């Protein structure tokens, strides 16, 4: 099964995934129209700023067992077995924030949403773009990501690639794994800026 | 081999969570659930939403009406357990033959802490614990004008909020200086108090009820300072106590709750305990503690069920946490929120932002986070609570954790 895999070291913090996510969860599903909609479409992926100003696309891990699912008071959070996606039934959601209390990643948000009953504040988080997947599309954040920080692939393949990359750095006659072009420069600049700010 | 007889005392979330993993892990066993409430499993924390009018009572059940059949559970509902005899492996129930167990789970929950006051048995004086209590309140609500809520803890607080939302005049009596003193610190308590007062709640601090007057329904309360307060509806919300009157203390070790180990085992063989009645290790305090909250009841029930099914799994311990929304305030708290002032082993940092109406407080013990309070902007609260639960040393400056922009990535230093 394919899933969204995050490669934090490649994120440059461009926020395109957030824009694409909000658009994908809008009424019109086009950016120019989405910005005019009410309630305003909001992203389910949140690019947080790290200690060195680096970006990090923080999204629901669809944990199993999922703490939010176990803590949900009205039983509004459930799992779609086919896509291994933890989903929220917004009709049942009571906006109690129990899910935010138990989510160790901080991915829950609370606001009215075009996909929820009108004028109701509900818990909102990543749904793996189930609607897009049903139409044969990949999740919007992955489609928008230009640096490869977000990929849509089977997890074991991504794990193997990562394991291979790590083993190459420790084996005899090792060679450094070159970072993506431009990324090393960007990282150096960000680290330097943080250093200068703190002086 | 004879079928294993699993008996569960308690039809709340701890009991049914245990039954479900038990059924999955031990498909051929017999499971009996004994509960004193006669409804199918429902969500207890949501009853205050029914009082408030935000939900109808039909939204409370969290399992279907065919639940017991579906999981092959024998329900014994509407009956209270009177005694457990571990030497004979018997559970005694009011007016019925004893039930024999091979493995027993005590998930009997908690009962409202009673008040000692004359006239306590007058009509229209309620607890807020069972669905039936809310039904009772709703029945008398059309004639209620002035309500009195005893206690400023979570229950008293939810009762006051619910009645206020119903347009009833509410006076809250609290013994300590501010509401939610068990969950929040003084600053957050003050913010809550201001918010509630702005919405019409009257709060009397430092007073207690000594007697109720009236007949057959309550008409007034006499307070410890000698004053009288007219009221026609009273809610007692002074917290809860583990429900364990049926436990023989020479057979099962009891402190405030039933003492359990990391497998939810009590000191008696093949007897487990979980949920509001259980007292296990507290992750923030490092000592045993009763954390009577819904998510812990789920986790402990599942852990007990897993171990009863024969798979030995140890839990790390529990953490007291709460999240409440009232009018324009969201409050999330967890762990040790008010460390003793004379103990220099704790470091406390806090940030109050009056413009954004946010408040954050973090309590550290050496380099470990052990407590937090958040008022508004609570979305990242789970990350902080996760830090308390994992007991990971915190390498970031405390100010980073306090800042508005704090997010999970910052825990990944490199």
């Amino acid at each position: 099964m394919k899933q969204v895999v995050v490669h934090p070291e490649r994120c440059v913090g461009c926020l395109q995934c957030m824009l694409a996510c909000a658009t994908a969860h809008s009424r019109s599903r086009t950016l120019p129209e989405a910005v005019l909609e009410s309630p305003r479409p909001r992203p389910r992926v949140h690019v947080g700023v790290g200690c060195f100003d680096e970006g990090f696309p923080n999204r629901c891990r669809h944990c199993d067992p999922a703490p939010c699912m176990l803590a949900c008071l009205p039983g509004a959070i459930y799992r779609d077995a086919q896509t291994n996606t933890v989903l929220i039934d917004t009709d049942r959601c009571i906006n109690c924030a129990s899910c935010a209390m138990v989510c160790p990643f901080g991915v829950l948000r609370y606001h009215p949403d075009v996909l929820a009953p009108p004028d109701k504040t509900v818990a909102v988080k990543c749904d793996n773009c189930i609607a897009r997947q049903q139409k044969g599309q990949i999740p919007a954040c992955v489609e928008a990501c230009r640096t490869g920080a977000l990929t849509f692939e089977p997890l074991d393949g991504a794990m193997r690639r990562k394991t291979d990359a790590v083993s190459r750095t420790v084996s005899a006659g090792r060679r450094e794994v070159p970072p993506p072009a431009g990324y090393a420069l960007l990282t150096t600049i960000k680290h330097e800026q943080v250093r200068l700010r703190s002086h | 081999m004879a079928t294993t007889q699993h008996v569960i005392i308690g039809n709340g979330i701890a009991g049914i969570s245990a039954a479900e993993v038990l059924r999955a892990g031990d498909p051929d066993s017999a499971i009996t659930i004994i509960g004193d409430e006669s409804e199918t499993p429902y969500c207890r924390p949501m009853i205050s939403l029914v009082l408030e009018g935000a939900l109808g009572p039909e939204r409370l059940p969290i399992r279907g009406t065919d639940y017991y059949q579906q999981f092959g559970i024998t329900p014994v509902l509407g009956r209270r357990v009177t005694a457990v005899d571990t030497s004979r492996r018997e559970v005694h129930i009011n007016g019925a033959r004893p039930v024999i167990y091979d493995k027993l789970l005590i998930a009997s929950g908690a009962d409202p802490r009673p008040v000692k006051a004359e006239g306590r048995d007058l009509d229209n004086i309620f607890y807020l614990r069972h669905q039936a209590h809310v039904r009772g309140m709703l029945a008398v609500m059309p004639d209620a004008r002035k309500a009195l809520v005893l206690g400023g803890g979570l229950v008293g607080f939810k009762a006051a909020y619910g009645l206020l939302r119903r347009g009833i005049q509410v006076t809250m009596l609290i013994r300590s200086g501010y509401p939610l003193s068990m969950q929040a610190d003084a600053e957050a308590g003050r913010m809550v108090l201001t918010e509630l007062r702005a919405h019409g709640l009257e709060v009397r601090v430092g007073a207690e009820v000594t007697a109720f007057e009236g007949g057959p329904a309550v008409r007034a309360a006499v307070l410890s300072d000698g004053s009288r307060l007219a009221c026609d509806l009273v809610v007692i919300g002074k917290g809860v106590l583990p429900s364990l009157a049926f436990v023989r203390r020479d057979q099962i070790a009891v402190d405030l709750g039933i003492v359990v180990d990391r497998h939810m085992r009590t000191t008696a063989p093949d007897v487990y305990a979980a949920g509001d009645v259980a007292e296990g290790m507290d992750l923030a305090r490092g000592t045993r503690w009763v954390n009577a909250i819904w998510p812990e009841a789920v986790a402990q029930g599942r852990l007990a069920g897993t171990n009863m099914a024969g798979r030995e799994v140890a839990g790390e311990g529990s953490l007291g946490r709460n999240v409440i929304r009232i009018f324009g305030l969201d409050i999330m708290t967890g762990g040790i929120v008010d460390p003793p002032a004379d103990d220099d082993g704790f470091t406390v940092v806090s940030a109050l932002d009056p413009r954004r109406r946010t408040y954050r407080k973090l309590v550290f013990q050496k380099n470990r986070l052990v407590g937090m309070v958040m008022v508004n902007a609570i979305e990242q609260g789970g990350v902080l609570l996760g830090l308390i639960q994992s007991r990971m040393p915190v390498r970031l400056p405390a100010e980073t954790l306090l800042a508005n922009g704090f997010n999970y990535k910052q825990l990944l230093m490199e």
Side-chain angles (χ1 to χ4, degrees):
Chain A
M1 191 196 327
K2 285 185 177 181
Q3 64 183 79
V4 178
V5 183
V6 180
H7 311 271
E9 73 284 359
R10 302 182 72 103
C11 178
V12 295
C14 70
L15 312 186
Q16 290 300 313
C17 53
M18 291 177 72
L19 212 53
C21 178
T23 307
H25 296 90
S26 69
R27 201 174 288 123
S28 61
R29 311 226 172 108
T30 68
L31 182 57
E33 287 173 274
V35 293
L36 300 171
E37 283 177 24
S38 174
R40 176 184 287 194
R42 300 210 213 170
R44 278 81 167 136
V45 57
H46 311 279
V47 176
V49 179
C51 293
F52 297 102
D53 283 358
E54 73 280 38
F56 175 65
N58 195 24
R59 60 191 290 287
C60 174
R61 274 66 161 176
H62 303 277
C63 314
D64 192 3
C68 59
M69 204 167 134
L70 293 174
C72 180
L73 296 180
I77 305 184
Y78 63 101
R79 183 182 303 277
D80 174 69
Q82 220 179 349
T83 54
N84 194 31
T85 301
V86 175
L87 294 169
I88 302 175
D89 178 344
T90 51
D91 285 286
R92 292 187 74 93
C93 174
I94 57 168
N95 184 32
C96 65
S98 291
C99 44
M101 184 174 82
V102 298
C103 175
F105 304 111
V107 300
L108 273 306
R109 296 294 181 276
Y110 301 88
H111 52 77
D113 195 77
V114 65
L115 300 169
D119 301 322
K120 186 183 176 189
T121 297
V122 294
V124 178
K125 64 162 201 68
C126 167
D127 62 357
N128 274 334
C129 279
I130 271 206
R132 286 173 55 94
Q133 285 198 51
Q134 279 163 356
K135 288 191 282 184
Q137 295 172 297
I138 64 169
C141 57
V142 178
E143 191 180 81
C145 185
R146 291 286 171 271
T147 63
L150 295 164
T151 55
F152 189 57
E153 57 183 322
L155 187 61
D156 52 354
M159 298 270 277
R160 201 172 310 123
R161 248 186 9 257
K162 192 72 102 187
T163 309
D164 289 349
V166 171
S167 31
R168 275 199 298 277
T169 65
V170 296
S171 54
R174 69 179 183 187
R175 48 198 169 83
E176 289 296 319
V177 182
Y183 190 83
L185 177 62
L186 187 64
T187 307
T188 309
I189 291 171
K190 283 181 174 177
H191 279 234
E192 202 55 28
Q193 279 174 336
V194 169
R195 199 182 60 81
L196 288 172
R197 264 210 314 265
S198 62
H199 278 292
Chain B
M1 205 178 81
T3 314
T4 308
Q5 299 289 327
H6 294 294
V7 176
I8 297 172
I9 303 174
N11 192 33
I13 189 64
I16 66 166
S17 299
E20 286 162 16
V21 292
L22 199 45
R23 178 49 76 224
D26 192 354
D28 302 323
S29 63
I31 303 175
T32 303
I33 289 186
I34 307 164
D36 65 341
E37 290 181 85
S38 45
E39 294 97 348
T40 47
Y42 68 91
C43 183
R44 189 177 309 288
M46 277 165 59
I47 62 172
S48 62
L49 297 174
V50 176
L51 176 68
E52 177 192 328
L55 294 181
E58 76 286 351
R59 293 281 302 274
L60 291 179
I62 45 170
R63 298 293 187 271
T65 44
D66 60 345
Y67 173 70
Y68 301 107
Q69 208 180 354
Q70 190 195 335
F71 280 87
I73 296 167
T74 309
V76 181
L77 302 182
R79 289 170 188 271
R80 215 167 163 101
V81 169
T82 53
V84 167
D85 187 345
T86 59
S87 61
R88 300 165 69 100
R89 292 183 177 251
E90 283 178 356
V91 178
H92 296 258
I93 308 167
N94 226 347
R97 279 164 45 125
V99 178
I100 311 289
Y101 68 82
D102 293 314
K103 288 183 184 174
L104 174 68
L105 172 65
I106 303 175
S108 47
D111 291 318
R113 190 190 292 268
V115 292
K116 284 198 200 100
E118 247 175 87
R120 162 66 191 88
D121 43 10
L122 288 171
D123 288 351
N124 300 0
I125 301 180
F126 297 96
Y127 291 116
L128 178 58
R129 180 71 185 169
H130 295 171
Q131 239 185 103
H133 297 147
V134 173
R135 279 199 295 270
M137 274 186 255
L138 291 180
V140 304
M141 202 177 274
D143 300 320
R145 296 286 172 272
K146 235 178 142 346
L148 177 65
V149 172
L150 310 186
L154 270 178
V155 177
F157 189 81
K158 284 181 161 187
Y161 182 68
L163 293 166
L164 268 182
R165 300 278 300 217
R166 291 277 190 174
I168 294 170
Q169 206 184 324
V170 185
T171 304
M172 188 191 241
L173 286 191
I174 50 181
R175 211 176 38 189
S176 49
Y178 56 89
L180 302 178
S181 58
M182 295 294 284
Q183 289 80 23
D185 68 333
E187 187 62 49
R190 193 192 51 75
M191 292 172 87
V192 170
L193 195 54
T194 310
E195 182 75 8
L196 284 173
R197 280 184 168 148
H199 286 85
L201 180 79
E202 261 183 64
V203 182
R204 306 253 314 238
V205 170
E208 286 190 275
V209 168
T210 54
F212 295 105
E213 294 175 348
V218 65
R219 287 279 162 260
V222 181
L223 306 190
S224 47
D225 59 8
S227 61
R228 280 176 87 252
L229 209 63
C231 56
D232 45 21
L233 175 65
V234 175
V235 184
I236 301 170
K238 311 275 284 177
V240 293
L241 289 169
S243 176
L244 40 67
F246 57 87
V247 174
R248 276 180 55 175
R249 285 160 199 249
D250 59 328
Q251 291 184 337
I252 299 174
V254 168
D255 184 27
L256 176 64
I258 296 174
V259 175
V260 291
D261 67 7
R262 292 179 56 192
H263 299 269
M264 307 315 290
R265 291 182 296 226
T266 70
T267 51
D270 296 320
V271 181
Y272 299 73
D276 292 4
V277 77
E279 180 179 317
M281 192 52 76
D282 182 292
L283 290 169
R285 291 179 173 81
T287 54
R288 282 198 321 262
W289 202 264
V290 177
N291 284 315
I293 58 167
W294 182 269
E296 288 300 352
V298 176
Q300 293 178 9
R302 289 168 57 88
L303 187 57
T306 306
N307 281 282
M308 288 167 79
R311 197 158 74 83
E312 287 210 5
V313 179
E316 292 294 325
S318 67
L319 177 67
R321 292 158 285 168
N322 278 290
V323 59
I324 333 151
R325 298 188 193 270
I326 47 140
F327 297 112
L329 285 184
D330 301 332
I331 305 110
M332 193 184 290
T333 69
I336 304 168
V337 295
D338 245 338
D342 54 352
D343 189 337
D344 56 8
F346 294 97
T347 316
V348 178
V349 290
S350 67
L352 179 68
D353 187 338
R355 197 178 53 83
R356 303 170 90 120
R357 293 189 78 208
T358 60
Y359 170 64
R360 284 182 185 185
K361 170 178 174 176
L362 301 173
V363 180
F364 291 89
Q365 201 169 22
K366 294 207 180 82
N367 58 359
R368 273 181 46 223
L369 186 65
V370 294
M372 67 82 114
V373 178
M374 267 183 155
V375 179
N376 289 339
I378 56 167
E379 287 84 357
Q380 300 304 307
V383 182
L384 295 171
L385 291 166
L387 264 184
I388 301 177
Q389 282 176 300
S390 68
R391 289 178 289 180
M392 288 285 285
V394 177
R395 293 182 294 167
L396 288 170
E399 295 70 39
T400 308
L401 267 64
L402 270 186
N404 270 315
F406 170 70
N407 69 92
Y408 181 78
K409 168 63 182 172
Q410 296 176 344
L411 298 178
L412 315 168
M413 287 279 279
E414 284 78 32

Coordinates of all heavy atoms in Angstrom, one line a residue, chain B residues 151-155 157-158 172 174 176 178-185 188-189 192 324 326 331 333 337:
Chain B
G151 N -18.7 22.9 44.6 CA -17.4 22.4 44.1 C -17.0 23.1 42.8 O -17.8 23.3 41.9
G152 N -15.8 23.4 42.7 CA -15.2 24.1 41.6 C -14.3 23.2 40.8 O -13.5 23.7 40.0
G153 N -14.4 21.9 41.0 CA -13.6 21.0 40.2 C -14.2 20.8 38.8 O -15.2 21.5 38.5
L154 N -13.7 19.8 38.1 CA -14.2 19.6 36.7 C -15.7 19.4 36.7 O -16.4 19.9 35.8 CB -13.5 18.3 36.2 CG -12.2 18.6 35.4 CD1 -11.6 17.3 34.9 CD2 -12.5 19.5 34.2
V155 N -16.2 18.6 37.6 CA -17.7 18.2 37.6 C -18.5 19.4 37.9 O -19.5 19.8 37.2 CB -18.0 17.0 38.5 CG1 -19.5 16.7 38.5 CG2 -17.2 15.8 38.1
F157 N -17.8 22.4 37.7 CA -17.5 23.3 36.7 C -18.4 23.1 35.5 O -19.0 24.0 34.9 CB -16.1 23.1 36.4 CG -15.6 24.1 35.6 CD1 -15.2 25.3 36.1 CD2 -15.5 23.9 34.2 CE1 -14.7 26.3 35.2 CE2 -15.0 24.8 33.4 CZ -14.6 26.0 33.9
K158 N -18.4 21.8 35.1 CA -19.2 21.4 33.9 C -20.7 21.6 34.2 O -21.5 22.0 33.3 CB -18.9 20.0 33.5 CG -17.6 19.8 32.8 CD -17.5 18.3 32.4 CE -16.4 18.1 31.3 NZ -16.4 16.7 30.9
M172 N -21.8 29.3 42.3 CA -20.9 28.2 42.5 C -20.2 28.4 43.8 O -19.7 29.5 44.1 CB -19.9 28.2 41.4 CG -19.0 27.0 41.3 SD -17.7 27.3 40.1 CE -17.9 25.9 39.0
I174 N -17.0 27.4 46.0 CA -15.8 26.7 46.0 C -15.0 26.9 47.3 O -14.9 28.0 47.8 CB -14.9 27.0 44.7 CG1 -14.8 28.5 44.5 CG2 -15.5 26.3 43.5 CD1 -14.0 28.8 43.3
S176 N -11.6 26.3 47.7 CA -10.3 27.0 47.4 C -10.5 28.3 46.7 O -11.7 28.7 46.4 CB -9.4 26.1 46.6 OG -10.1 25.6 45.4
Y178 N -9.9 29.5 43.7 CA -10.3 29.6 42.3 C -10.8 28.2 41.8 O -10.5 27.2 42.4 CB -9.1 30.1 41.5 CG -7.9 29.2 41.6 CD1 -7.6 28.2 40.8 CD2 -6.9 29.5 42.6 CE1 -6.5 27.4 40.9 CE2 -5.8 28.8 42.7 CZ -5.6 27.7 41.9 OH -4.5 26.9 42.0
P179 N -11.5 28.2 40.7 CA -12.0 26.9 40.2 C -10.9 26.1 39.6 O -9.8 26.6 39.3 CB -13.1 27.3 39.2 CG -12.8 28.7 38.8 CD -12.1 29.3 39.9
L180 N -11.2 24.8 39.4 CA -10.2 23.9 38.8 C -8.9 23.8 39.5 O -7.9 23.7 38.9 CB -10.0 24.2 37.3 CG -11.3 24.2 36.5 CD1 -10.9 24.6 35.0 CD2 -11.9 22.8 36.4
S181 N -8.9 23.9 40.9 CA -7.7 24.0 41.6 C -6.9 22.7 41.5 O -5.7 22.7 41.7 CB -7.9 24.4 43.1 OG -8.8 23.5 43.7
M182 N -7.6 21.6 41.2 CA -6.8 20.3 41.1 C -6.2 20.2 39.7 O -5.3 19.5 39.5 CB -7.8 19.1 41.3 CG -8.4 19.0 42.7 SD -7.1 18.6 43.9 CE -6.8 16.9 43.5
Q183 N -6.8 20.9 38.7 CA -6.3 20.8 37.3 C -5.4 21.9 36.9 O -4.5 21.7 36.1 CB -7.5 20.7 36.4 CG -8.3 19.4 36.4 CD -9.2 19.3 37.6 OE1 -9.7 20.4 38.1 NE2 -9.6 18.1 38.0
A184 N -5.7 23.1 37.4 CA -5.0 24.3 36.8 C -4.3 25.0 38.0 O -4.5 24.8 39.1 CB -6.0 25.2 36.1
D185 N -3.5 26.0 37.6 CA -2.8 26.8 38.6 C -3.6 28.1 38.8 O -4.7 28.3 38.2 CB -1.4 27.1 38.2 CG -1.4 28.0 37.0 OD1 -2.3 28.0 36.2 OD2 -0.4 28.8 36.8
A188 N -4.4 30.4 35.6 CA -5.4 29.8 34.7 C -6.7 29.8 35.4 O -7.8 30.2 34.8 CB -5.0 28.4 34.3
G189 N -6.7 29.5 36.7 CA -8.0 29.5 37.5 C -8.6 30.9 37.5 O -9.8 31.1 37.4
V192 N -10.2 31.6 34.1 CA -11.5 30.9 34.0 C -12.6 31.6 34.8 O -13.7 31.8 34.4 CB -11.3 29.4 34.6 CG1 -12.6 28.7 34.7 CG2 -10.4 28.6 33.7
I324 N -10.6 21.4 28.6 CA -11.9 21.9 28.7 C -12.1 23.2 27.8 O -11.1 24.0 27.8 CB -12.3 22.3 30.1 CG1 -11.4 21.6 31.1 CG2 -13.7 22.2 30.4 CD1 -11.2 22.4 32.4
I326 N -14.6 26.5 27.7 CA -15.7 27.2 28.3 C -15.8 28.5 27.6 O -14.8 29.3 27.6 CB -15.6 27.3 29.8 CG1 -14.2 27.9 30.1 CG2 -15.9 26.1 30.6 CD1 -14.3 28.9 31.2
I331 N -8.7 25.3 27.9 CA -7.7 25.1 28.9 C -7.2 23.6 28.8 O -8.1 22.7 28.8 CB -8.3 25.3 30.3 CG1 -8.9 26.7 30.4 CG2 -7.2 25.1 31.4 CD1 -10.4 26.7 30.5
T333 N -4.4 21.0 30.6 CA -3.4 20.9 31.6 C -3.0 19.4 31.8 O -3.7 18.5 31.3 CB -4.0 21.3 33.0 OG1 -5.0 20.4 33.4 CG2 -4.6 22.7 32.9
V337 N 0.9 20.6 38.0 CA 0.8 22.0 37.6 C 1.2 23.0 38.6 O 1.5 24.2 38.3 CB -0.7 22.3 37.1 CG1 -1.0 21.4 35.9 CG2 -1.7 22.0 38.2

